[in-house]
Amino acid sequence: MTNTNTENLDKFREKHVTCFTLKPWHDLALWQWLEDIGFPNLGDKNNRQRITKVTGNWPILLYELYNKTKNAIHLLDHHLSKIEMGLKEKETVKNLEVSFGLRYVEAKKVLHNLAILGEASIENLMELTDLPPEIVYRSIVWADLLNLVFPSSNKTWKVDPIVDKLVKLGTE
């Protein structure tokens, strides 16, 4: 499969399906948001990189960071560490799985296999699972539309780093 988000969305729109995509914020959006919420001193490149490393710039994790730091911005490192540790705790992972749409066992199994491999084609994923090929294909299309995976080189796919952590811990 060589489709991108745009091509997949076009196919759905041709069938008059209303589609929404989710994705992490771009670095410029993060910078603007930090300015807008009154944290302009966090907008420098080093702080943004630290924030991005922990949150992946996913809005749900950025809002959590904001809620923890809004009255104690000087504790940014502490709160970033708490979020990072939370991504290793079963209860937090369960809650985030729901927020990321990772409740579907088949799709989660496909993403888990992809996370373990690091990078794979859909054909490779079909060979590694007992799921029907159509389920594997639809799982990647679905995950692509939600930006949980992204195309890599030579018709292969990778899992978003935050989603990688969720599916690995969530299936232990």
Side-chain angles (χ1 to χ4, degrees):
M1 181 176 132
T2 60
N3 288 345
T4 62
N5 277 338
T6 304
E7 292 167 338
N8 287 325
L9 285 173
D10 289 344
K11 286 181 182 179
F12 285 115
R13 288 183 183 121
E14 287 171 5
K15 296 179 182 183
H16 306 289
V17 174
T18 302
C19 297
F20 298 94
T21 63
L22 303 175
K23 63 181 174 181
W25 290 354
H26 185 277
D27 183 59
L28 291 175
L30 174 62
W31 173 78
Q32 184 62 56
W33 180 70
L34 291 168
E35 291 281 324
D36 291 348
I37 62 171
F39 292 174
N41 57 329
L42 294 185
D44 71 65
K45 188 174 183 167
N46 288 335
N47 282 326
R48 290 194 323 271
Q49 286 175 339
R50 288 178 21 232
I51 292 168
T52 299
K53 182 181 179 216
V54 173
T55 67
N57 286 355
W58 285 96
I60 190 167
L61 296 173
L62 290 170
Y63 289 133
E64 181 181 342
L65 178 64
Y66 169 72
N67 287 329
K68 290 180 179 204
T69 59
K70 64 183 172 189
N71 295 322
I73 195 168
H74 62 283
L75 296 175
L76 174 69
D77 288 327
H78 170 73
H79 293 302
L80 281 171
S81 294
K82 284 182 78 169
I83 290 172
E84 194 168 36
M85 292 303 293
L87 292 172
K88 298 174 184 173
E89 296 172 0
K90 287 273 190 193
E91 192 60 37
T92 301
V93 168
K94 274 186 180 183
N95 292 334
L96 287 171
E97 283 178 332
V98 171
S99 297
F100 278 79
L102 297 171
R103 296 172 293 172
Y104 306 104
V105 175
E106 293 89 359
K108 192 172 167 185
K109 185 175 185 178
V110 171
L111 294 181
H112 181 262
N113 287 339
L114 181 55
I116 295 298
L117 293 171
E119 182 176 337
S121 68
I122 292 179
E123 292 75 20
N124 292 138
L125 291 168
M126 288 176 181
E127 293 170 5
L128 291 171
T129 181
D130 57 348
L131 296 171
E134 182 60 26
I135 296 291
V136 175
Y137 175 81
R138 282 190 288 167
S139 295
I140 294 296
V141 170
W142 167 82
D144 181 33
L145 290 169
L146 293 176
N147 290 281
L148 305 177
V149 299
F150 55 91
S152 190
S153 60
N154 300 323
K155 299 181 181 181
T156 60
W157 294 85
K158 286 186 171 187
V159 178
D160 173 87
I162 298 296
V163 176
D164 183 280
K165 291 177 186 178
L166 296 176
V167 296
K168 283 179 179 174
L169 185 63
T171 54
E172 288 181 350

PDB file of all heavy atoms in Angstrom, residues 94 97-112 131 135 138-139 142-143 146 148 167 170-171:
ATOM      1  N   LYS A  94      -3.957   2.421  29.645  1.00  0.00           N
ATOM      2  CA  LYS A  94      -5.338   2.043  29.320  1.00  0.00           C
ATOM      3  C   LYS A  94      -6.168   3.265  28.949  1.00  0.00           C
ATOM      4  O   LYS A  94      -6.926   3.245  27.975  1.00  0.00           O
ATOM      5  CB  LYS A  94      -5.999   1.326  30.506  1.00  0.00           C
ATOM      6  CG  LYS A  94      -5.748  -0.129  30.554  1.00  0.00           C
ATOM      7  CD  LYS A  94      -6.577  -0.741  31.672  1.00  0.00           C
ATOM      8  CE  LYS A  94      -6.325  -2.218  31.729  1.00  0.00           C
ATOM      9  NZ  LYS A  94      -7.129  -2.888  32.725  1.00  0.00           N
ATOM     10  N   GLU A  97      -5.022   4.582  25.597  1.00  0.00           N
ATOM     11  CA  GLU A  97      -5.452   3.695  24.508  1.00  0.00           C
ATOM     12  C   GLU A  97      -6.858   4.062  24.042  1.00  0.00           C
ATOM     13  O   GLU A  97      -7.119   4.099  22.840  1.00  0.00           O
ATOM     14  CB  GLU A  97      -5.435   2.234  24.962  1.00  0.00           C
ATOM     15  CG  GLU A  97      -4.065   1.630  25.023  1.00  0.00           C
ATOM     16  CD  GLU A  97      -4.088   0.192  25.514  1.00  0.00           C
ATOM     17  OE1 GLU A  97      -5.002  -0.192  26.273  1.00  0.00           O
ATOM     18  OE2 GLU A  97      -3.172  -0.535  25.124  1.00  0.00           O
ATOM     19  N   VAL A  98      -7.739   4.343  24.979  1.00  0.00           N
ATOM     20  CA  VAL A  98      -9.097   4.751  24.620  1.00  0.00           C
ATOM     21  C   VAL A  98      -9.049   6.071  23.850  1.00  0.00           C
ATOM     22  O   VAL A  98      -9.686   6.214  22.811  1.00  0.00           O
ATOM     23  CB  VAL A  98      -9.989   4.870  25.880  1.00  0.00           C
ATOM     24  CG1 VAL A  98     -11.320   5.501  25.554  1.00  0.00           C
ATOM     25  CG2 VAL A  98     -10.167   3.503  26.522  1.00  0.00           C
ATOM     26  N   SER A  99      -8.279   7.029  24.325  1.00  0.00           N
ATOM     27  CA  SER A  99      -8.179   8.329  23.670  1.00  0.00           C
ATOM     28  C   SER A  99      -7.593   8.226  22.265  1.00  0.00           C
ATOM     29  O   SER A  99      -7.966   8.990  21.377  1.00  0.00           O
ATOM     30  CB  SER A  99      -7.316   9.282  24.497  1.00  0.00           C
ATOM     31  OG  SER A  99      -7.914   9.512  25.744  1.00  0.00           O
ATOM     32  N   PHE A 100      -6.674   7.292  22.050  1.00  0.00           N
ATOM     33  CA  PHE A 100      -6.052   7.104  20.743  1.00  0.00           C
ATOM     34  C   PHE A 100      -6.836   6.129  19.863  1.00  0.00           C
ATOM     35  O   PHE A 100      -6.429   5.852  18.735  1.00  0.00           O
ATOM     36  CB  PHE A 100      -4.615   6.607  20.909  1.00  0.00           C
ATOM     37  CG  PHE A 100      -3.612   7.685  21.196  1.00  0.00           C
ATOM     38  CD1 PHE A 100      -3.484   8.219  22.467  1.00  0.00           C
ATOM     39  CD2 PHE A 100      -2.785   8.183  20.202  1.00  0.00           C
ATOM     40  CE1 PHE A 100      -2.556   9.213  22.742  1.00  0.00           C
ATOM     41  CE2 PHE A 100      -1.856   9.175  20.463  1.00  0.00           C
ATOM     42  CZ  PHE A 100      -1.745   9.694  21.734  1.00  0.00           C
ATOM     43  N   GLY A 101      -7.940   5.596  20.371  1.00  0.00           N
ATOM     44  CA  GLY A 101      -8.748   4.671  19.586  1.00  0.00           C
ATOM     45  C   GLY A 101      -8.187   3.267  19.523  1.00  0.00           C
ATOM     46  O   GLY A 101      -8.525   2.509  18.621  1.00  0.00           O
ATOM     47  N   LEU A 102      -7.361   2.895  20.469  1.00  0.00           N
ATOM     48  CA  LEU A 102      -6.695   1.596  20.436  1.00  0.00           C
ATOM     49  C   LEU A 102      -7.474   0.518  21.186  1.00  0.00           C
ATOM     50  O   LEU A 102      -6.892  -0.384  21.779  1.00  0.00           O
ATOM     51  CB  LEU A 102      -5.276   1.715  21.008  1.00  0.00           C
ATOM     52  CG  LEU A 102      -4.347   2.628  20.228  1.00  0.00           C
ATOM     53  CD1 LEU A 102      -3.044   2.850  20.991  1.00  0.00           C
ATOM     54  CD2 LEU A 102      -4.077   2.065  18.849  1.00  0.00           C
ATOM     55  N   ARG A 103      -8.776   0.583  21.115  1.00  0.00           N
ATOM     56  CA  ARG A 103      -9.600  -0.412  21.785  1.00  0.00           C
ATOM     57  C   ARG A 103      -9.858  -1.627  20.898  1.00  0.00           C
ATOM     58  O   ARG A 103     -10.312  -2.641  21.367  1.00  0.00           O
ATOM     59  CB  ARG A 103     -10.939   0.187  22.188  1.00  0.00           C
ATOM     60  CG  ARG A 103     -10.813   1.304  23.202  1.00  0.00           C
ATOM     61  CD  ARG A 103     -12.127   1.974  23.406  1.00  0.00           C
ATOM     62  NE  ARG A 103     -12.449   2.660  22.153  1.00  0.00           N
ATOM     63  CZ  ARG A 103     -13.603   3.230  21.891  1.00  0.00           C
ATOM     64  NH1 ARG A 103     -14.557   3.192  22.761  1.00  0.00           N
ATOM     65  NH2 ARG A 103     -13.813   3.843  20.755  1.00  0.00           N
ATOM     66  N   TYR A 104      -9.606  -1.498  19.611  1.00  0.00           N
ATOM     67  CA  TYR A 104      -9.922  -2.562  18.666  1.00  0.00           C
ATOM     68  C   TYR A 104      -8.802  -3.586  18.651  1.00  0.00           C
ATOM     69  O   TYR A 104      -7.676  -3.295  18.267  1.00  0.00           O
ATOM     70  CB  TYR A 104     -10.165  -1.971  17.279  1.00  0.00           C
ATOM     71  CG  TYR A 104     -11.213  -0.887  17.339  1.00  0.00           C
ATOM     72  CD1 TYR A 104     -10.849   0.447  17.275  1.00  0.00           C
ATOM     73  CD2 TYR A 104     -12.550  -1.211  17.526  1.00  0.00           C
ATOM     74  CE1 TYR A 104     -11.805   1.442  17.377  1.00  0.00           C
ATOM     75  CE2 TYR A 104     -13.513  -0.222  17.634  1.00  0.00           C
ATOM     76  CZ  TYR A 104     -13.131   1.109  17.559  1.00  0.00           C
ATOM     77  OH  TYR A 104     -14.066   2.094  17.672  1.00  0.00           O
ATOM     78  N   VAL A 105      -9.114  -4.781  19.100  1.00  0.00           N
ATOM     79  CA  VAL A 105      -8.119  -5.823  19.326  1.00  0.00           C
ATOM     80  C   VAL A 105      -7.321  -6.129  18.060  1.00  0.00           C
ATOM     81  O   VAL A 105      -6.093  -6.225  18.112  1.00  0.00           O
ATOM     82  CB  VAL A 105      -8.792  -7.109  19.874  1.00  0.00           C
ATOM     83  CG1 VAL A 105      -7.794  -8.236  19.995  1.00  0.00           C
ATOM     84  CG2 VAL A 105      -9.462  -6.830  21.199  1.00  0.00           C
ATOM     85  N   GLU A 106      -8.015  -6.248  16.924  1.00  0.00           N
ATOM     86  CA  GLU A 106      -7.305  -6.598  15.691  1.00  0.00           C
ATOM     87  C   GLU A 106      -6.332  -5.495  15.288  1.00  0.00           C
ATOM     88  O   GLU A 106      -5.171  -5.768  14.961  1.00  0.00           O
ATOM     89  CB  GLU A 106      -8.298  -6.862  14.540  1.00  0.00           C
ATOM     90  CG  GLU A 106      -9.144  -8.093  14.725  1.00  0.00           C
ATOM     91  CD  GLU A 106     -10.435  -7.824  15.491  1.00  0.00           C
ATOM     92  OE1 GLU A 106     -10.673  -6.663  15.910  1.00  0.00           O
ATOM     93  OE2 GLU A 106     -11.204  -8.781  15.681  1.00  0.00           O
ATOM     94  N   ALA A 107      -6.789  -4.253  15.290  1.00  0.00           N
ATOM     95  CA  ALA A 107      -5.915  -3.141  14.904  1.00  0.00           C
ATOM     96  C   ALA A 107      -4.754  -3.009  15.883  1.00  0.00           C
ATOM     97  O   ALA A 107      -3.612  -2.779  15.477  1.00  0.00           O
ATOM     98  CB  ALA A 107      -6.711  -1.838  14.846  1.00  0.00           C
ATOM     99  N   LYS A 108      -5.041  -3.191  17.141  1.00  0.00           N
ATOM    100  CA  LYS A 108      -3.990  -3.099  18.152  1.00  0.00           C
ATOM    101  C   LYS A 108      -2.944  -4.204  17.952  1.00  0.00           C
ATOM    102  O   LYS A 108      -1.745  -3.972  18.102  1.00  0.00           O
ATOM    103  CB  LYS A 108      -4.614  -3.192  19.544  1.00  0.00           C
ATOM    104  CG  LYS A 108      -3.679  -2.840  20.654  1.00  0.00           C
ATOM    105  CD  LYS A 108      -4.455  -2.786  21.954  1.00  0.00           C
ATOM    106  CE  LYS A 108      -3.544  -2.757  23.130  1.00  0.00           C
ATOM    107  NZ  LYS A 108      -4.261  -2.816  24.386  1.00  0.00           N
ATOM    108  N   LYS A 109      -3.407  -5.384  17.565  1.00  0.00           N
ATOM    109  CA  LYS A 109      -2.487  -6.495  17.304  1.00  0.00           C
ATOM    110  C   LYS A 109      -1.586  -6.160  16.113  1.00  0.00           C
ATOM    111  O   LYS A 109      -0.379  -6.410  16.155  1.00  0.00           O
ATOM    112  CB  LYS A 109      -3.290  -7.774  17.023  1.00  0.00           C
ATOM    113  CG  LYS A 109      -2.459  -9.000  16.857  1.00  0.00           C
ATOM    114  CD  LYS A 109      -3.351 -10.226  16.714  1.00  0.00           C
ATOM    115  CE  LYS A 109      -2.541 -11.500  16.676  1.00  0.00           C
ATOM    116  NZ  LYS A 109      -3.393 -12.691  16.587  1.00  0.00           N
ATOM    117  N   VAL A 110      -2.152  -5.588  15.065  1.00  0.00           N
ATOM    118  CA  VAL A 110      -1.366  -5.202  13.890  1.00  0.00           C
ATOM    119  C   VAL A 110      -0.343  -4.139  14.278  1.00  0.00           C
ATOM    120  O   VAL A 110       0.841  -4.233  13.915  1.00  0.00           O
ATOM    121  CB  VAL A 110      -2.286  -4.691  12.748  1.00  0.00           C
ATOM    122  CG1 VAL A 110      -1.475  -4.084  11.618  1.00  0.00           C
ATOM    123  CG2 VAL A 110      -3.165  -5.828  12.231  1.00  0.00           C
ATOM    124  N   LEU A 111      -0.773  -3.124  15.035  1.00  0.00           N
ATOM    125  CA  LEU A 111       0.151  -2.066  15.450  1.00  0.00           C
ATOM    126  C   LEU A 111       1.228  -2.591  16.394  1.00  0.00           C
ATOM    127  O   LEU A 111       2.381  -2.150  16.332  1.00  0.00           O
ATOM    128  CB  LEU A 111      -0.611  -0.912  16.098  1.00  0.00           C
ATOM    129  CG  LEU A 111      -1.546  -0.130  15.180  1.00  0.00           C
ATOM    130  CD1 LEU A 111      -2.223   0.999  15.940  1.00  0.00           C
ATOM    131  CD2 LEU A 111      -0.806   0.406  13.971  1.00  0.00           C
ATOM    132  N   HIS A 112       0.867  -3.523  17.236  1.00  0.00           N
ATOM    133  CA  HIS A 112       1.859  -4.124  18.135  1.00  0.00           C
ATOM    134  C   HIS A 112       2.930  -4.847  17.321  1.00  0.00           C
ATOM    135  O   HIS A 112       4.125  -4.695  17.577  1.00  0.00           O
ATOM    136  CB  HIS A 112       1.186  -5.078  19.122  1.00  0.00           C
ATOM    137  CG  HIS A 112       2.151  -5.693  20.079  1.00  0.00           C
ATOM    138  ND1 HIS A 112       2.673  -6.949  19.897  1.00  0.00           N
ATOM    139  CD2 HIS A 112       2.727  -5.211  21.204  1.00  0.00           C
ATOM    140  CE1 HIS A 112       3.514  -7.229  20.873  1.00  0.00           C
ATOM    141  NE2 HIS A 112       3.570  -6.192  21.683  1.00  0.00           N
ATOM    142  N   LEU A 131      -4.494 -12.878  11.431  1.00  0.00           N
ATOM    143  CA  LEU A 131      -5.656 -12.097  11.021  1.00  0.00           C
ATOM    144  C   LEU A 131      -5.832 -12.153   9.507  1.00  0.00           C
ATOM    145  O   LEU A 131      -4.847 -12.268   8.768  1.00  0.00           O
ATOM    146  CB  LEU A 131      -5.490 -10.635  11.448  1.00  0.00           C
ATOM    147  CG  LEU A 131      -5.420 -10.365  12.949  1.00  0.00           C
ATOM    148  CD1 LEU A 131      -5.034  -8.915  13.209  1.00  0.00           C
ATOM    149  CD2 LEU A 131      -6.747 -10.694  13.600  1.00  0.00           C
ATOM    150  N   ILE A 135      -8.216  -7.359   7.192  1.00  0.00           N
ATOM    151  CA  ILE A 135      -8.186  -6.721   8.513  1.00  0.00           C
ATOM    152  C   ILE A 135      -6.851  -6.011   8.708  1.00  0.00           C
ATOM    153  O   ILE A 135      -6.793  -4.892   9.221  1.00  0.00           O
ATOM    154  CB  ILE A 135      -8.415  -7.757   9.647  1.00  0.00           C
ATOM    155  CG1 ILE A 135      -9.800  -8.374   9.536  1.00  0.00           C
ATOM    156  CG2 ILE A 135      -8.182  -7.133  11.012  1.00  0.00           C
ATOM    157  CD1 ILE A 135     -10.948  -7.445   9.846  1.00  0.00           C
ATOM    158  N   ARG A 138      -6.962  -2.885   6.444  1.00  0.00           N
ATOM    159  CA  ARG A 138      -7.849  -1.854   7.008  1.00  0.00           C
ATOM    160  C   ARG A 138      -7.289  -1.263   8.290  1.00  0.00           C
ATOM    161  O   ARG A 138      -7.480  -0.079   8.569  1.00  0.00           O
ATOM    162  CB  ARG A 138      -9.252  -2.415   7.249  1.00  0.00           C
ATOM    163  CG  ARG A 138     -10.064  -2.510   5.967  1.00  0.00           C
ATOM    164  CD  ARG A 138     -11.494  -2.829   6.243  1.00  0.00           C
ATOM    165  NE  ARG A 138     -11.563  -4.222   6.670  1.00  0.00           N
ATOM    166  CZ  ARG A 138     -12.608  -4.784   7.220  1.00  0.00           C
ATOM    167  NH1 ARG A 138     -13.699  -4.103   7.442  1.00  0.00           N
ATOM    168  NH2 ARG A 138     -12.589  -6.048   7.576  1.00  0.00           N
ATOM    169  N   SER A 139      -6.601  -2.053   9.069  1.00  0.00           N
ATOM    170  CA  SER A 139      -5.999  -1.541  10.303  1.00  0.00           C
ATOM    171  C   SER A 139      -4.932  -0.495   9.994  1.00  0.00           C
ATOM    172  O   SER A 139      -4.844   0.529  10.670  1.00  0.00           O
ATOM    173  CB  SER A 139      -5.384  -2.690  11.117  1.00  0.00           C
ATOM    174  OG  SER A 139      -6.385  -3.574  11.547  1.00  0.00           O
ATOM    175  N   TRP A 142      -6.718   2.662   8.683  1.00  0.00           N
ATOM    176  CA  TRP A 142      -7.319   3.336   9.841  1.00  0.00           C
ATOM    177  C   TRP A 142      -6.249   4.058  10.657  1.00  0.00           C
ATOM    178  O   TRP A 142      -6.391   5.226  11.003  1.00  0.00           O
ATOM    179  CB  TRP A 142      -8.051   2.283  10.682  1.00  0.00           C
ATOM    180  CG  TRP A 142      -8.465   2.716  12.035  1.00  0.00           C
ATOM    181  CD1 TRP A 142      -9.577   3.429  12.374  1.00  0.00           C
ATOM    182  CD2 TRP A 142      -7.749   2.475  13.263  1.00  0.00           C
ATOM    183  NE1 TRP A 142      -9.598   3.634  13.737  1.00  0.00           N
ATOM    184  CE2 TRP A 142      -8.491   3.060  14.295  1.00  0.00           C
ATOM    185  CE3 TRP A 142      -6.562   1.813  13.565  1.00  0.00           C
ATOM    186  CZ2 TRP A 142      -8.088   3.007  15.620  1.00  0.00           C
ATOM    187  CZ3 TRP A 142      -6.159   1.763  14.883  1.00  0.00           C
ATOM    188  CH2 TRP A 142      -6.922   2.349  15.905  1.00  0.00           C
ATOM    189  N   ALA A 143      -5.160   3.361  10.948  1.00  0.00           N
ATOM    190  CA  ALA A 143      -4.081   3.951  11.750  1.00  0.00           C
ATOM    191  C   ALA A 143      -3.418   5.105  11.003  1.00  0.00           C
ATOM    192  O   ALA A 143      -3.019   6.101  11.617  1.00  0.00           O
ATOM    193  CB  ALA A 143      -3.049   2.883  12.107  1.00  0.00           C
ATOM    194  N   LEU A 146      -5.521   8.209  11.345  1.00  0.00           N
ATOM    195  CA  LEU A 146      -5.408   8.787  12.683  1.00  0.00           C
ATOM    196  C   LEU A 146      -3.980   9.199  13.016  1.00  0.00           C
ATOM    197  O   LEU A 146      -3.699   9.625  14.128  1.00  0.00           O
ATOM    198  CB  LEU A 146      -5.919   7.794  13.740  1.00  0.00           C
ATOM    199  CG  LEU A 146      -7.409   7.520  13.683  1.00  0.00           C
ATOM    200  CD1 LEU A 146      -7.788   6.459  14.707  1.00  0.00           C
ATOM    201  CD2 LEU A 146      -8.210   8.785  13.911  1.00  0.00           C
ATOM    202  N   LEU A 148      -1.470   7.380  13.541  1.00  0.00           N
ATOM    203  CA  LEU A 148      -0.851   6.480  14.504  1.00  0.00           C
ATOM    204  C   LEU A 148       0.339   5.777  13.868  1.00  0.00           C
ATOM    205  O   LEU A 148       1.223   5.288  14.564  1.00  0.00           O
ATOM    206  CB  LEU A 148      -1.857   5.446  15.006  1.00  0.00           C
ATOM    207  CG  LEU A 148      -3.161   5.996  15.601  1.00  0.00           C
ATOM    208  CD1 LEU A 148      -4.090   4.856  15.989  1.00  0.00           C
ATOM    209  CD2 LEU A 148      -2.882   6.910  16.778  1.00  0.00           C
ATOM    210  N   VAL A 167       1.163   0.643  22.565  1.00  0.00           N
ATOM    211  CA  VAL A 167       0.809  -0.711  22.124  1.00  0.00           C
ATOM    212  C   VAL A 167       1.749  -1.767  22.690  1.00  0.00           C
ATOM    213  O   VAL A 167       1.334  -2.904  22.922  1.00  0.00           O
ATOM    214  CB  VAL A 167       0.707  -0.840  20.580  1.00  0.00           C
ATOM    215  CG1 VAL A 167      -0.413   0.023  20.047  1.00  0.00           C
ATOM    216  CG2 VAL A 167       2.010  -0.547  19.877  1.00  0.00           C
ATOM    217  N   GLY A 170       0.611  -1.901  26.435  1.00  0.00           N
ATOM    218  CA  GLY A 170      -0.794  -2.298  26.525  1.00  0.00           C
ATOM    219  C   GLY A 170      -1.044  -3.750  26.191  1.00  0.00           C
ATOM    220  O   GLY A 170      -2.104  -4.272  26.495  1.00  0.00           O
ATOM    221  N   THR A 171      -0.098  -4.428  25.568  1.00  0.00           N
ATOM    222  CA  THR A 171      -0.305  -5.828  25.231  1.00  0.00           C
ATOM    223  C   THR A 171       0.518  -6.764  26.100  1.00  0.00           C
ATOM    224  O   THR A 171       0.528  -7.958  25.873  1.00  0.00           O
ATOM    225  CB  THR A 171       0.045  -6.079  23.745  1.00  0.00           C
ATOM    226  OG1 THR A 171       1.358  -5.612  23.478  1.00  0.00           O
ATOM    227  CG2 THR A 171      -0.948  -5.428  22.829  1.00  0.00           C
TER     228      THR A 171
END
